């Protein structure tokens, strides 16, 4: 049983689209979707530096476009599909809840709204690796932070103001390693509340379809049966924690045996190797990975 997963913000690296643009079908898609995104996605994916693609309004459309273009050239149909954070928009398009054009239009609005919300207060995020989960969550709550991503496999991401993060770093949980993340703000926390209202208005004009592939939600790991429910969850998720641990638990319960992580792959397959032992994984990083992905169930 195959799950295809779309990565979230932070997976992008300078120049990651370069080898993929040699595939005409991939280049054509990125070029067409650049018009919808209002960004030159080819330039951002090839020549832009790390700071330029760290910008939330750039990173989010770039990631969704890259994931969908990679899926289209891959040519494999999954049994389950899931996305991490902004990757849920790619997952929604793969499952038929949104058209690709609708997904790119929504991610444009999402990225811009979250960037605007992030500019109101200086906020950030850091990954907490290891430690006892209950102790980590208690330490996060103790500083007024939010467990913005509970990723499983011993990884929780805390989000909040820079002052709260500094206080947390000064008194970290036992046996935990802290890694500051290169993101523009505290995503999936109350600081993103203004972006929820904006995204809801943007989504009002869309009539979503029901999933044609089983589709997991970041909110709680549930399999979502209807398009309107999934879009409602997508909107609310902007200011609520990502429960990737719950998504992986559902994958295990459903009997997943293989995972393909779409471009730019590596993060979610890394979590799967620790959280889903025995599951075969392939991360799409370059076109050289396509054959291995197509053979993963054979």
């Amino acid at each position: 049983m195959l799950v295809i997963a779309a990565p979230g913000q932070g997976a992008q690296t300078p120049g990651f689209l370069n080898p993929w643009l040699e595939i005409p079908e991939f280049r054509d898609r990125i070029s067409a979707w650049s018009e919808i995104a209002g960004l030159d996605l080819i330039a951002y994916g090839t020549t832009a530096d790390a700071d330029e693609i760290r910008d939330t309004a750039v990173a989010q459309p770039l990631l969704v476009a890259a994931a969908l273009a990679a899926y289209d050239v891959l040519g494999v149909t999954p049994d389950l599909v899931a996305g991490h954070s902004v990757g849920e928009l790619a997952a929604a398009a793969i499952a038929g809840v949104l058209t690709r054009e609708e997904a790119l239009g929504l991610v444009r609005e999402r990225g811009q709204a979250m960037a605007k919300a992030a500019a109101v207060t200086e906020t950030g995020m850091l990954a907490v690796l290891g430690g006892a989960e209950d102790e980590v969550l208690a330490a996060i709550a103790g500083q007024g932070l939010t467990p913005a991503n509970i990723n499983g496999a011993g990884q929780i991401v805390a989000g909040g103001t820079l002052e709260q993060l500094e206080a947390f770093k000064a008194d970290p949980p036992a046996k935990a390693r802290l890694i500051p993340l290169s993101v523009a703000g505290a995503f999936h926390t109350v600081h993103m509340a203004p972006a929820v209202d904006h995204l809801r208005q943007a989504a009002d004009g869309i009539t979503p379809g029901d999933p044609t592939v089983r589709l997991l939600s970041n909110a709680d790991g549930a399999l979502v049966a209807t398009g309107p429910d999934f879009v409602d969850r997508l909107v609310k998720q902007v200011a609520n924690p990502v429960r990737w641990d719950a998504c992986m638990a559902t994958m295990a319960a459903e009997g997943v045996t293989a995972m393909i992580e779409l471009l730019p792959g590596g993060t979610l397959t890394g979590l799967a190797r620790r959280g889903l032992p025995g599951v075969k994984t392939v991360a799409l990083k370059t076109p050289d990975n396509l054959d291995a992905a197509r053979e993963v169930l054979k």
Side-chain angles (χ1 to χ4, degrees):
M1 180 176 287
L2 173 66
V3 61
I4 285 183
Q9 199 163 337
Q12 72 278 9
T13 55
F16 78 97
L17 288 189
N18 274 313
W20 293 87
L21 295 173
E22 297 175 15
I23 303 172
E25 183 182 356
F26 187 100
R27 175 181 277 274
D28 289 347
R29 280 166 166 71
I30 298 295
S31 179
W33 295 338
S34 290
E35 294 189 24
I36 299 171
L39 299 166
D40 187 343
L41 296 175
I42 290 177
Y44 280 115
T46 55
T47 60
D49 63 25
D51 283 340
E52 289 176 287
I53 60 173
R54 179 176 174 267
D55 180 346
T56 303
V58 171
Q60 293 194 14
L62 182 61
L63 286 164
V64 171
L68 287 174
Y71 175 77
D72 287 347
V73 301
L74 174 64
V76 171
T77 301
D79 300 291
L80 291 170
V81 63
H84 189 286
S85 186
V86 71
E88 282 202 302
L89 282 157
I94 291 167
V97 171
L98 302 173
T99 67
R100 279 145 176 73
E101 293 75 17
E102 287 169 342
L104 266 295
L106 274 184
V107 76
R108 177 193 66 223
E109 298 301 319
R110 185 184 193 270
Q112 291 174 357
M114 290 176 75
K116 185 176 180 180
V120 173
T121 305
E122 285 194 314
T123 58
M125 306 178 82
L126 57 80
V128 185
L129 307 181
E133 183 172 308
D134 57 345
E135 293 179 11
V136 171
L137 291 172
I140 289 171
Q143 297 296 348
L145 295 163
T146 299
N149 300 165
I150 303 178
N151 286 328
Q155 184 188 108
I156 296 174
V157 175
T161 67
L162 297 187
E163 292 80 7
Q164 290 170 330
L165 292 170
E166 286 301 318
F168 184 78
K169 287 192 285 185
D171 186 21
K175 299 180 180 179
R177 185 160 58 98
L178 310 184
I179 301 176
L181 300 184
S182 180
V183 294
F187 306 136
H188 303 291
T189 73
V190 67
H191 297 284
M192 293 294 112
V196 173
D197 296 334
H198 180 89
L199 191 59
R200 191 177 303 283
Q201 291 178 7
D204 279 346
I206 291 173
T207 303
D210 291 337
T212 57
V213 177
R214 284 183 291 171
L215 178 61
L216 294 172
S217 169
N218 281 179
D220 52 10
L223 290 163
V224 181
T226 71
D229 183 18
F230 193 79
V231 170
D232 183 59
R233 287 164 171 262
L234 271 176
V235 170
K236 293 175 180 175
Q237 200 62 30
V238 169
N240 284 284
V242 170
R243 292 296 307 272
W244 191 252
D245 62 331
C247 289
M248 288 200 297
T250 302
M251 293 175 199
E254 291 294 312
V256 163
T257 57
M259 174 188 284
I260 297 171
E261 183 179 1
L262 298 173
L263 181 68
T267 302
L268 302 181
T269 46
L271 291 171
R273 283 193 292 273
R274 298 189 296 276
L276 295 169
V279 171
K280 297 178 183 177
T281 62
V282 179
L284 295 184
K285 299 180 180 181
T286 75
D288 292 340
N289 305 127
L290 286 169
D291 286 343
R294 291 167 182 147
E295 298 291 320
V296 72
L297 286 179
K298 294 184 180 179

